[in-house]
Amino acid sequence: DIDLRMKLNMSLLRIENNNNIVTVYLNRPDKRNAMSFALLKELYQTAQRLGRDRHVRAVILTGEAQVFSAGIDLSDLNSSKQRAFALWELIKPQQSLFQKAFLVWQQLPVPVIAALEGYCFGAGMQLALAADIRISHPNTQFSIMESRWGLVPDMGLTQSLKGLVSIDLAKELTFSARIFDAPYAKQIGLVSHLDESPLQRAQALAEEIATRSPDAVMAAKSVLNSMLHQPLKTALRSEKIWQLKLILGKNSRLAQLKDKAPETTYLKRQFQD
């Protein structure tokens, strides 16, 4: 039983298995399910396990306390130990943990459905985008928030956002870090469905998909993904290089100060493209 096995090792996720439809809950309700580095590791490990289990028919990603995720846990970014870990992840030639923990859901051989409520910000948005289908409560708020902290989305956004919205809208939302509502997200294609009970809708859809051949569903996911995802290395490398530059730069720290002290001013641009 997946649920029992994973409960032995996972503390920041809660996992339920109902007739081989597995629901993965982000389980930091006191932090609005903000994503710590430890949570990212659990997400990656969980996805790897699910991918190896041939009984699983679908996966639902959601959050406890009617909140999906308020984004990355800034306390990790401000910890010297965690900062050193992040720098190593960005320097090494392979995909970083921040990329793997999200892109792995695209690579699962089963459909992944995100059930969204409350906040879907920053890292939460990037996790939702890694799902195959997104079902949102009409009151959910969204943001590609990284530029607010002087950072760039580096969790596979170059792959997960591809094909969903036009490039000009992708740039506008990323440049501005604007918060927008679920009806607008549905209008531009970031959300598949709006529903007052997104988790129930996701469960019903998963049950419908589970009536089909698991091999056919797996193959369908593979061929449809191949339409969008051409060579990954260039785009993923660009994410890592720019994130590394920004973390080492001065304006990233000023951005975090500015959130608490709006009078903080930025330095002139430090980098050339």
Side-chain angles (χ1 to χ4, degrees):
D1 185 298
I2 291 173
D3 193 19
L4 293 177
R5 288 205 311 269
M6 290 192 174
K7 279 183 177 177
L8 296 175
N9 298 309
M10 300 299 163
S11 60
L12 302 177
L13 299 174
R14 182 168 70 85
I15 299 165
E16 293 180 352
N17 182 4
N18 183 20
N19 295 324
N20 295 317
I21 294 171
V22 177
T23 303
V24 178
Y25 294 83
L26 305 180
N27 190 24
R28 300 186 77 205
D30 56 321
K31 298 287 188 179
R32 297 190 299 182
N33 298 322
M35 294 195 190
S36 62
F37 294 173
L39 176 55
L40 297 183
K41 291 175 185 176
E42 288 193 12
L43 279 169
Y44 181 58
Q45 293 165 3
T46 298
Q48 286 188 308
R49 286 173 139 178
L50 292 173
R52 291 193 295 265
D53 192 319
R54 297 191 182 189
H55 297 287
V56 175
R57 300 302 308 277
V59 174
I60 298 170
L61 296 174
T62 193
E64 295 283 18
Q66 296 180 304
V67 173
F68 189 65
S69 175
I72 198 69
D73 190 332
L74 291 175
S75 64
D76 274 5
L77 291 180
N78 293 323
S79 158
S80 58
K81 179 179 178 181
Q82 298 289 21
R83 193 177 179 88
F85 170 79
L87 292 175
W88 164 244
E89 286 293 317
L90 295 168
I91 290 169
K92 69 182 187 182
Q94 304 88 1
Q95 289 185 16
S96 69
L97 170 67
F98 313 112
Q99 293 169 336
K100 291 192 297 185
F102 293 78
L103 293 178
V104 68
W105 301 97
Q106 287 188 330
Q107 298 156 5
L108 282 189
V110 298
V112 178
I113 305 167
L116 309 173
E117 293 189 74
Y119 301 107
C120 187
F121 290 165
M125 169 74 93
Q126 293 192 74
L127 179 60
L129 291 174
D132 299 297
I133 299 163
R134 284 158 294 284
I135 302 173
S136 173
H137 190 282
N139 293 335
T140 305
Q141 294 185 297
F142 295 84
S143 177
I144 303 173
M145 190 167 274
E146 282 75 10
S147 68
R148 181 175 178 178
W149 313 119
L151 302 173
V152 67
D154 70 325
M155 297 172 174
L157 188 80
T158 54
Q159 305 307 309
S160 59
L161 193 58
K162 188 187 296 183
L164 293 179
V165 301
S166 60
I167 187 62
D168 56 336
L169 273 178
K171 289 178 179 179
E172 178 182 338
L173 295 175
T174 304
F175 296 163
S176 68
R178 180 184 306 132
I179 295 172
F180 53 96
D181 61 19
Y184 181 71
K186 173 70 167 62
Q187 177 187 332
I188 64 175
L190 289 178
V191 163
S192 314
H193 305 287
L194 299 180
D195 199 285
E196 293 285 343
S197 301
L199 182 54
Q200 290 180 19
R201 177 78 175 268
Q203 290 167 338
L205 177 57
E207 289 168 6
E208 180 183 0
I209 292 169
T211 67
R212 308 303 177 196
S213 160
D215 293 311
V217 172
M218 177 190 69
K221 178 169 177 173
S222 177
V223 299
L224 290 170
N225 280 345
S226 71
M227 291 193 310
L228 296 173
H229 303 303
Q230 296 304 317
L232 302 178
K233 290 185 179 178
T234 301
L236 295 176
R237 188 181 300 118
S238 177
E239 289 183 357
K240 292 176 63 176
I241 289 171
W242 275 109
Q243 188 75 309
L244 178 61
K245 286 182 178 180
L246 292 170
I247 284 179
L248 293 175
K250 297 177 181 178
N251 277 325
S252 171
R253 297 181 186 182
L254 290 175
Q256 295 178 44
L257 288 175
K258 191 175 181 66
D259 192 59
K260 296 180 179 178
E263 68 277 9
T264 302
T265 58
Y266 292 114
L267 300 176
K268 68 179 183 180
R269 191 175 68 215
Q270 292 183 268
F271 304 109
Q272 292 279 43
D273 192 1

